[in-house]
Amino acid sequence: MLSPRLQTFMALHRAGKFAEAEAGYRDCRRAGIDVVIPLSALLLQQGRNAEAIVELEPVVAAQPENFAAVVNLSIALRQQGEAERALEYARRACELRPGEASACNARGLAALALDENEEALAALDAGLKSAPGNVPLELHRAKALRNLGRLRDALAAFERIVKVDPGMLEAWRDLGVVQARLGMVGPALASATQARNLAPADSEVLLEYAVALLRAGRTAEAEQFLERGGGNGGAWLMFGQALLREGNVQGARKALERAHALEPDSPYVRHFRAALSGELPEGIESDYIRGLFDDFADRFESTLVNNLGYGVPKRLPRFLAEQGVETFTDILDLGCGTGLMGAELAGAGRRIDGVDLSGRMLAVAREKDVYRELHEGEVLAFLQTAPQQWDLIVAADVFIYIRALEPIFAAAWQRLRPGGHFVFSIERSEGAETQLIAETGRYRHHVQALRAALEQAGFTGICLEDLVIRKESGHPVAGSLLLAQRPLKQA
Ligand SMILES: C[S@@+](CC[C@H](N)C(=O)[O-])C[C@H]1O[C@@H](n2cnc3c(N)ncnc32)[C@H](O)[C@@H]1O
């Protein structure tokens, strides 16, 4: 039974009169009344985490089964940045009262902070069983789903939350991020607009709104929100790219310089500045490629195949058959991505290995269950160190991200069995040499130069077919398939 005196101060606390409530709690304590739970809750509400920890730690040490103190200590520790200890206490709270919403929420939050998303999801699901519809539990569960890459489930969860509580800024922001990752440009802009209406002066929200406008192609409107949001390297880069697509090279240069000033080490900014300046980057830009495709993995197939008419994986096996290349068993898929190429080449008795820089692309490929082995790594390094050989090496839409192909040709030759074939697609440069296209950040290679390089590496029987490899802003992108053989006997 709570003392009437304590109840008076708890009422003040609930009414938001924190200073009076705190003074009252401290008076009660002097009178011998136990106030640790309401006092620590008040301190937590005010972000005074270190003080809350000082209050709670001795209580939890003396009474390890004091459920409310254990939960509050977990919250205080997490808010203080001590997520591992927070998770320990949250687990203890869950043991004391399995399924209790506050314990499950504390465990979910601590696990989220440690990127232990499976544990977070399990805890939050357990909490929702005893407290169905509890909004904080729902919100944190949606975040766990998002972190686990279960974007469709996360989308449905965030949508439910904003329906129940349309004033919840955090849920609108998260919803917008998930929609953008799923390529839902219009809905993502609608969510960013809701967030902006709820927090019109919040610079992060304004920046997110600017990015959503850019994604929706509303470049001119985006600029003022980029300015007001303070911008970041990625957002200014996006703005620059949008200007470039509109033919505004000067504006694009300025935007890229702002991006560079804000994030001088960004591999994206470096890549596109090089593309604009015409100075082609040296070596393979692994960080840029990995970041690009980790970010793109969730919507790669829907975007490439459904929206951009990407046709290389379907066309390439037919091209091989037309050239009489049909008997191969061991295949290496360079830059295998989500496995579109592997799925087309799979067949009885064939063993396909894949290598790719992007862990998230590989995660999608793994689900297709067509690869014998999948390696996370860079293709040139992989070819130079792999111990085995293959009958066929394939690279579909990969060399558009690599400038210098000569070392790859030499390494691929080594990794093919005598008589084996190497087949790949390129974007075709109509000029005399390799070009880095500023609008797309992709390379176009010159077919004759590649022929010469293949011959130089020892390949013979080179043949090619021109094709449209995909569309870009509605226009066909000219490409070629090249096929070459490692001769059965060395000349
Ligand atoms: C456009 S996707 C094509 C994926 C797949 N080959 C297909 O046809 O669907 C390009 C892939 O190549 C990978 N990639 C590009 N350069 C790479 C490199 N140097 N090493 C490893 N992977 C690379 C990217 O991570 C990405 O997954």
Side-chain angles (χ1 to χ4, degrees):
M1 187 60 188
L2 290 177
S3 89
R5 204 168 149 204
L6 179 55
Q7 286 188 39
T8 312
F9 298 119
M10 285 172 76
L12 286 173
H13 182 171
R14 278 194 296 278
K17 299 190 171 164
F18 295 134
E20 284 129 298
E22 183 176 346
Y25 290 153
R26 293 193 187 279
D27 272 353
C28 287
R29 168 177 285 166
R30 281 188 282 277
I33 300 170
D34 179 6
V35 295
V36 75
I37 299 304
L39 177 60
S40 62
L42 183 143
L43 295 170
L44 287 176
Q45 265 175 303
Q46 298 186 312
R48 292 158 65 188
N49 303 311
E51 289 173 69
I53 293 169
V54 169
E55 291 287 337
L56 289 160
E57 264 179 342
V59 175
V60 169
Q63 307 162 25
E65 306 209 334
N66 183 331
F67 175 78
V70 174
V71 171
N72 282 2
L73 181 55
S74 169
I75 297 170
L77 287 167
R78 180 182 48 78
Q79 292 184 172
Q80 188 69 0
E82 291 190 48
E84 279 178 18
R85 288 185 65 213
L87 184 56
E88 237 173 78
Y89 285 107
R91 285 179 185 148
R92 189 194 291 178
C94 287
E95 275 165 26
L96 291 170
R97 292 197 197 163
E100 226 279 345
S102 62
C104 293
N105 198 32
R107 185 168 180 177
L109 280 169
L112 276 177
L114 290 166
D115 215 18
E116 298 287 352
N117 296 300
E118 295 284 3
E119 177 168 352
L121 186 60
L124 295 159
D125 275 336
L128 281 164
K129 263 198 190 134
S130 53
N134 175 303
V135 174
L137 287 170
E138 289 272 14
L139 178 71
H140 303 137
R141 179 177 179 275
K143 286 176 192 279
L145 289 168
R146 178 202 58 200
N147 296 353
L148 287 167
R150 290 174 53 186
L151 294 187
R152 290 275 157 202
D153 294 334
L155 177 75
F158 284 124
E159 279 174 347
R160 261 196 317 274
I161 296 163
V162 296
K163 212 165 176 190
V164 174
D165 186 353
M168 194 187 270
L169 175 66
E170 191 177 347
W172 281 114
R173 291 177 67 185
D174 281 325
L175 176 61
V177 170
V178 171
Q179 287 165 326
R181 274 179 65 185
L182 285 166
M184 300 164 65
V185 172
L189 178 57
S191 298
T193 307
Q194 293 280 0
R196 197 199 88 192
N197 291 341
L198 288 168
D202 182 318
S203 60
E204 279 182 24
V205 170
L206 291 178
L207 195 54
E208 285 163 9
Y209 179 65
V211 169
L213 283 170
L214 287 172
R215 285 208 175 93
R218 289 165 56 177
T219 315
E221 287 164 78
E223 186 169 11
Q224 57 157 315
F225 294 102
L226 275 176
E227 293 284 3
R228 283 168 55 194
N232 63 26
W236 281 108
L237 170 62
M238 261 182 97
F239 182 56
Q241 287 173 296
L243 291 176
L244 206 55
R245 280 194 294 275
E246 293 172 3
N248 181 352
V249 179
Q250 202 144 358
R253 278 216 173 91
K254 269 194 206 150
L256 257 80
E257 286 323 303
R258 290 190 74 160
H260 178 63
L262 287 160
E263 282 179 38
D265 297 327
S266 157
Y268 292 84
V269 177
R270 205 180 311 128
H271 180 80
F272 281 94
R273 276 179 95 221
L276 257 183
S277 71
E279 282 169 33
L280 302 194
E282 287 299 326
I284 292 175
E285 297 162 277
S286 297
D287 290 342
Y288 162 67
I289 295 165
R290 188 183 303 105
L292 189 67
F293 284 95
D294 273 350
D295 201 44
F296 196 26
D298 297 319
R299 53 185 193 287
F300 176 79
E301 293 192 2
S302 59
T303 307
L304 261 280
V305 182
N306 303 343
N307 302 346
L308 303 180
Y310 172 53
V312 173
K314 285 231 176 297
R315 178 64 201 140
L316 189 143
R318 278 188 266 143
F319 172 60
L320 287 176
E322 284 160 17
Q323 304 304 324
V325 181
E326 281 177 295
T327 47
F328 42 84
T329 303
D330 291 319
I331 305 165
L332 175 61
D333 187 0
L334 297 177
C336 60
T338 60
L340 289 174
M341 196 65 254
E344 294 296 333
L345 288 170
R350 288 187 178 163
R351 295 183 291 256
I352 314 177
D353 298 318
V355 55
D356 202 288
L357 270 169
S358 160
R360 293 182 78 138
M361 295 288 275
L362 286 172
V364 182
R366 205 160 282 121
E367 283 171 16
K368 293 202 169 62
D369 213 14
V370 294
Y371 290 92
R372 173 176 57 182
E373 284 181 13
L374 284 169
H375 302 267
E376 187 169 337
E378 195 282 310
V379 297
L380 178 59
F382 181 80
L383 287 168
Q384 287 173 336
T385 52
Q388 72 264 51
Q389 289 183 314
W390 290 267
D391 304 315
L392 177 69
I393 298 182
V394 185
D397 229 14
V398 180
F399 295 161
I400 55 178
Y401 296 99
I402 303 178
R403 173 193 173 189
L405 299 180
E406 295 83 352
I408 293 184
F409 293 172
W413 193 93
Q414 293 291 343
R415 302 275 48 90
L416 277 172
R417 295 194 176 119
H421 288 87
F422 182 32
V423 61
F424 56 89
S425 66
I426 53 152
E427 276 186 28
R428 208 170 52 236
S429 158
E430 300 304 348
E433 47 196 36
T434 304
Q435 299 170 302
L436 176 53
I437 306 301
E439 285 84 345
T440 64
R442 292 196 286 266
Y443 290 100
R444 287 188 181 158
H445 292 283
H446 189 251
V447 170
Q448 292 316 325
L450 293 189
R451 242 180 203 285
L454 285 166
E455 282 167 1
Q456 177 70 28
F459 285 100
T460 55
I462 298 162
C463 47
L464 78 126
E465 174 186 287
D466 290 344
L467 80 169
V468 170
I469 53 175
R470 87 184 95 69
K471 281 181 274 168
E472 185 77 50
S473 312
H475 302 292
V477 176
S480 301
L481 289 174
L482 278 92
L483 173 67
Q485 185 173 26
R486 172 175 171 162
L488 267 172
K489 285 204 181 99
Q490 211 155 342

